[in-house]
Amino acid sequence: MTEMLAAIWRYRFFIFSSVRNDFRARFARSSLGAIWMILQPLAQVAIYALVLAQVLGSRLPGIDNKYAYVIYLTSGILAWSLFVELLSRCMTIFVDNGNLLKKVVFPRICLPLILAGSALINNLLLLLATLGVFLIVGHPIDSSVLWLLLLVPLTLAFSLGLGLILGTLNVFVRDVAQVMNVVLQLWFWLTPVVYMPTIVPMQFQQALNANPMYWIVSSYQSVLLFHTAPDAGHLTLIAVISLGLLAVALLLFRRSSAEMVDVL
Amino acid sequence: MSRDVLVLNSVGKAFREYPSQILRFLTWMGIPVRNINEHWVLRNVSFRLGRGEAVGIVGQNGAGKSTLLKLITGTLRQTTGDIFVNGRIAAILELGMGFNPDLTGRQNAIHTAGLMGFSQADIMRIMPDIEAFAEIGEYFDEPVRTYSSGMQMRVAFSVATAFRPEVLIVDEALSVGDAYFQHKSMGRIREFRRQGTTLLIVSHDRTAIQALCDRAILLDKGEQRMDGEPQVVMDYYNAMIAEKENNAITSVQLASGKVQTISGTGEAVVTSAALFNHAGEQIEFINVGESAELRVQVEAKADISRLVFGYLIKDRLGQDVFGTNTHHTGQALEGIRAGDAVEFSIRFNVNMGAGAYSVSTALVSTDTHLVNNYEWRDLALVFTVMNVDRTYFVGSNWIPPSISITQS
């Protein structure tokens, strides 16, 4: 463990410069550059808002703003996009960097850290855009937004833990990433991002409560939309699960590392 | 002991094939699994590299060279044995790999140096050197996608060798790039070696191996076949690539202490080879510029439809000086019968520098020994060129000049 931390410290410049290059490369060939990182999720919000606001009704209980649904949607997508970006990139992290891993020796722990770094920057930009949208629609931003300082790291840890487990398995069984792409779509619709949890029939409420992404998304929604503190029980559970996933990921990674390059 | 920078102790590598990936995952949990297929690509390789040594790794494709290098650099892990490395290993393998085409040469150089584990301060300090060594001018700050492959190679080489490593692995990179940069990069490699870097060179190029290495290791089908003087190993390797059925390779220790390698199917053999001067006396020493005659007696042991005789003069480092054959001169013999004796007489001027030379002979059917190799005999003859009465000069060629000097 200390060895790993020492390696990270020694390669800190590489990690930093990789995140920067990741960012730079996106600016390089498109005229709008980084704007696309914000535009895509915002476009998604706009589409859902247009289509679903009519179906679901635009008013939310307890919120006196005609754009309440847009705020609800944006809060959920802020959480979901961080999760999905990290998870899908982690799943193919070793396969994508196969050539590098075969040719150059460097601490492999750098790779997920680079991913986490660039996903965080993307998410930060999206957060700024989201807050911008709130200002435009006249939704107040208060101190409860500070909860994000806890929520973002928790989402990060959860996605990274799950992603690295799947990423390691995906090196040996490439179907994992394919299957997960389908699972992720399903998962999105099983999580109350575009709809309210109240519309879920009673018999499925139990299942909904077992979805960790529901805990995360609903925490974002409480903080950003309702200005209330998130459910402490959910947060604790998420923290425990994330740590567990990260521990399993590390163990799996250690055990597999001798054979990983053989099959890349 | 402390002088060894790299030690390999009976290193072996097997790729494991599991009947099912589930079984692979079970082995990680420490559950023993049967039916694992082990495919050994390298077995029992042991050698030590001392500080400042230059060692060549030769072998045919699939002999295990790349796997060995990956084990040494550490990207692959050995299945058996131990590898000890004392210092930093740098590899010039597939130069420019990992360059992002959208970033500039400078940004890629910084990134790659970071990947090698250097701190920002070290990298920034060395950047001017990298830029100067690459010599690509203003292109250094242009995106790499606008580079020619040669320019990309220049930047990659400059970064890979920006810091002197304890062990430098050079893989086929010697032949990349333009002639000017090749000389420049070879110069840097030689300079590293003077400062104590150990070189590990993988190449099929006999000249490169013999010019640079003091030792060569021959790999064949994953096994270490030879570890010795480059010339001996290269002769053996040369014989090996022509190896076919009935083809025996023999290595004979000559009285001079050198090792002669003879290979071939034996349909024709060289019975004697000797050098004569213009007076017809057999000699071992000859003056620079004198005319000489090489006489080679050949005996056919079987009927041969086409016989080509070739010879190759090599200098003391085993580098080719001159070689040709009767296929190229249009003098191939047809329809040789078993028992026929043929004498080849080759007259030439010894326009060579002082030193020891050897002659290899080849009896083949076409212009190469890879089709039918009746006999290939290295060190068939050894002779020494002495500078008795010519103006002093260095080098393996005698190119007598006429120098005129104008003083104003």
Side-chain angles (χ1 to χ4, degrees):
Chain A
M1 198 65 187
T2 42
E3 208 176 296
M4 195 176 80
L5 292 176
I8 294 172
W9 179 247
R10 207 158 71 79
Y11 275 75
R12 63 192 186 279
F13 174 67
F14 172 68
I15 296 170
F16 167 73
S17 97
S18 299
V19 173
R20 191 179 50 188
N21 284 351
D22 198 53
F23 203 66
R24 264 186 192 152
R26 266 184 271 195
F27 276 105
R29 311 276 307 255
S30 67
S31 45
L32 287 181
I35 309 292
W36 283 117
M37 292 179 229
I38 312 168
L39 276 185
Q40 271 166 3
L42 286 185
Q44 202 185 353
V45 168
I47 291 164
Y48 286 134
L50 273 172
V51 176
L52 293 169
Q54 305 305 319
V55 181
L56 295 164
S58 59
R59 288 199 173 268
L60 283 155
I63 297 297
D64 185 27
N65 187 319
K66 59 178 175 165
Y67 296 107
Y69 177 66
V70 173
I71 299 160
Y72 177 82
L73 198 55
T74 328
S75 315
I77 282 183
L78 183 64
W80 185 263
S81 68
L82 178 61
F83 167 70
V84 91
E85 180 183 354
L86 260 177
L87 189 67
S88 52
R89 287 182 72 184
C90 273
M91 277 191 306
T92 55
I93 186 171
F94 300 116
V95 176
D96 289 346
N97 289 290
N99 255 330
L100 203 58
L101 290 169
K102 276 193 275 188
K103 295 281 150 56
V104 189
V105 184
F106 64 99
R108 289 177 209 171
I109 189 74
C110 293
L111 291 176
L113 292 179
I114 293 164
L115 274 195
S118 71
L120 262 184
I121 291 180
N122 291 352
N123 203 243
L124 191 69
L125 290 173
L126 184 61
L127 172 66
L128 291 177
T130 305
L131 296 180
V133 169
F134 287 2
L135 284 179
I136 292 166
V137 301
H139 180 68
I141 301 161
D142 74 351
S143 61
S144 57
V145 80
L146 291 175
W147 276 103
L148 287 179
L149 293 176
L150 180 64
L151 288 177
V152 171
L154 280 181
T155 315
L156 193 80
F158 177 71
S159 323
L160 215 54
L162 188 60
L164 285 178
I165 293 173
L166 296 171
T168 308
L169 295 180
N170 188 52
V171 173
F172 302 97
V173 187
R174 303 282 164 105
D175 314 54
V176 169
Q178 306 293 338
V179 170
M180 277 312 289
N181 282 331
V182 179
V183 170
L184 273 177
Q185 296 207 18
L186 188 65
W187 199 343
F188 177 71
W189 290 103
L190 291 179
T191 308
V193 176
V194 300
Y195 57 86
M196 262 62 76
T198 43
I199 67 160
V200 176
M202 271 314 280
Q203 65 264 40
F204 296 124
Q205 286 287 342
Q206 205 73 33
L208 189 64
N209 274 321
N211 177 359
M213 276 315 288
Y214 168 53
W215 309 337
I216 291 177
V217 166
S218 66
S219 301
Y220 270 73
Q221 288 156 350
S222 338
V223 165
L224 291 173
L225 176 62
F226 302 109
H227 300 305
T228 53
D231 185 313
H234 281 169
L235 288 191
T236 318
L237 263 177
I238 278 287
V240 171
I241 290 175
S242 301
L243 283 178
L245 286 174
L246 282 173
V248 172
L250 198 64
L251 188 75
L252 199 62
F253 177 70
R254 283 268 163 89
R255 292 280 159 86
S256 67
S257 63
E259 293 175 33
M260 185 177 277
V261 178
D262 293 2
V263 299
L264 275 172
Chain B
M1 259 318 240
S2 59
R3 278 179 51 85
D4 289 330
V5 287
L6 181 70
V7 179
L8 275 80
N9 264 336
S10 50
V11 169
K13 173 71 186 172
F15 290 106
R16 293 210 173 108
E17 282 161 20
Y18 296 84
S20 147
Q21 296 297 334
I22 304 291
L23 296 179
R24 184 195 295 273
F25 300 150
L26 286 181
T27 60
W28 298 347
M29 314 295 167
I31 299 164
V33 170
R34 286 175 300 140
N35 301 330
I36 300 174
N37 273 330
E38 288 195 331
H39 173 54
W40 287 87
V41 288
L42 217 54
R43 264 182 204 276
N44 214 6
V45 176
S46 304
F47 58 81
R48 295 168 172 275
L49 299 191
R51 191 167 180 274
E53 237 188 322
V55 177
I57 305 270
V58 286
Q60 285 169 277
N61 291 333
K65 298 188 302 271
S66 313
T67 307
L68 181 63
L69 292 191
K70 283 179 190 164
L71 291 175
I72 292 173
T73 51
T75 51
L76 284 185
R77 212 168 301 168
Q78 69 271 22
T79 315
T80 60
D82 307 292
I83 297 176
F84 300 103
V85 184
N86 192 1
R88 192 173 72 87
I89 295 188
I92 309 179
L93 308 151
E94 301 202 14
L95 285 170
M97 198 211 52
F99 273 17
N100 186 330
D102 286 329
L103 299 180
T104 67
R106 186 187 304 278
Q107 288 164 348
N108 272 304
I110 293 173
H111 182 74
T112 309
L115 183 61
M116 289 157 67
F118 292 104
S119 69
Q120 186 172 13
D122 284 341
I123 295 169
M124 291 313 155
R125 188 169 46 76
I126 209 81
M127 262 335 259
D129 291 356
I130 294 176
E131 186 175 0
F133 193 84
E135 282 188 74
I136 58 164
E138 285 160 11
Y139 271 101
F140 200 60
D141 288 307
E142 297 286 326
V144 165
R145 72 187 132 85
T146 63
Y147 285 23
S148 68
S149 58
M151 286 159 70
Q152 198 173 325
M153 210 287 297
R154 283 179 170 217
V155 176
F157 182 91
S158 308
V159 179
T161 60
F163 301 90
R164 187 180 73 81
E166 271 67 48
V167 179
L168 181 68
I169 296 177
V170 186
D171 183 11
E172 304 285 351
L174 296 168
S175 52
V176 197
D178 54 293
Y180 167 72
F181 197 72
Q182 257 184 56
H183 272 100
K184 195 171 172 180
S185 45
M186 281 308 300
R188 176 169 269 192
I189 291 173
R190 287 208 169 91
E191 177 57 33
F192 276 175
R193 198 180 158 198
R194 260 194 293 282
Q195 294 173 25
T197 292
T198 301
L199 300 181
L200 199 58
I201 296 162
V202 179
S203 178
H204 292 289
D205 182 9
R206 184 184 184 109
T207 326
I209 294 270
Q210 290 182 167
L212 279 167
C213 302
D214 350 273
R215 223 172 103 196
I217 291 166
L218 176 63
L219 291 181
D220 182 40
K221 300 181 189 94
E223 296 192 20
Q224 190 176 346
R225 284 273 281 267
M226 259 187 148
D227 180 349
E229 253 182 82
Q231 189 173 345
V232 176
V233 173
M234 287 315 286
D235 285 348
Y236 192 90
Y237 174 63
N238 192 39
M240 207 179 74
I241 56 175
E243 191 177 355
K244 287 178 187 169
E245 260 182 290
N246 310 325
N247 193 338
I249 308 176
T250 39
S251 294
V252 186
Q253 182 97 31
L254 298 183
S256 59
K258 296 202 168 188
V259 179
Q260 181 184 37
T261 306
I262 305 166
S263 66
T265 46
E267 282 95 335
V269 294
V270 168
T271 50
S272 85
L275 195 69
F276 297 85
N277 65 12
H278 63 279
E281 299 156 345
Q282 188 175 341
I283 45 155
E284 279 177 30
F285 295 89
I286 194 156
N287 188 16
V288 172
E290 211 178 323
S291 67
E293 183 191 356
L294 172 68
R295 279 185 213 159
V296 178
Q297 312 275 352
V298 172
E299 194 182 316
K301 301 283 188 193
D303 292 354
I304 296 169
S305 59
R306 191 167 191 265
L307 180 68
V308 169
F309 167 78
Y311 71 102
L312 176 60
I313 301 174
K314 295 194 266 189
D315 69 9
R316 76 190 155 77
L317 296 172
Q319 303 200 47
D320 300 349
V321 174
F322 182 87
T324 188
N325 63 37
T326 58
H327 172 91
H328 295 303
T329 60
Q331 292 168 292
L333 298 171
E334 310 269 343
I336 299 284
R337 302 252 145 235
D340 284 2
V342 187
E343 183 181 275
F344 294 93
S345 161
I346 300 110
R347 289 172 188 281
F348 61 96
N349 284 326
V350 185
N351 293 336
M352 304 190 292
Y357 294 86
S358 73
V359 179
S360 299
T361 59
L363 296 169
V364 292
S365 64
T366 58
D367 60 332
T368 107
H369 74 293
L370 299 176
V371 181
N372 282 309
N373 178 23
Y374 304 129
E375 189 198 65
W376 181 291
R377 185 180 288 255
D378 285 305
L379 290 168
L381 173 70
V382 181
F383 65 96
T384 305
V385 175
M386 295 185 306
N387 188 352
V388 180
D389 51 7
R390 311 288 179 187
T391 316
Y392 174 79
F393 68 97
V394 294
S396 61
N397 275 297
W398 183 52
I399 310 169
S402 84
I403 302 174
S404 67
I405 300 170
T406 321
Q407 236 176 346
S408 55

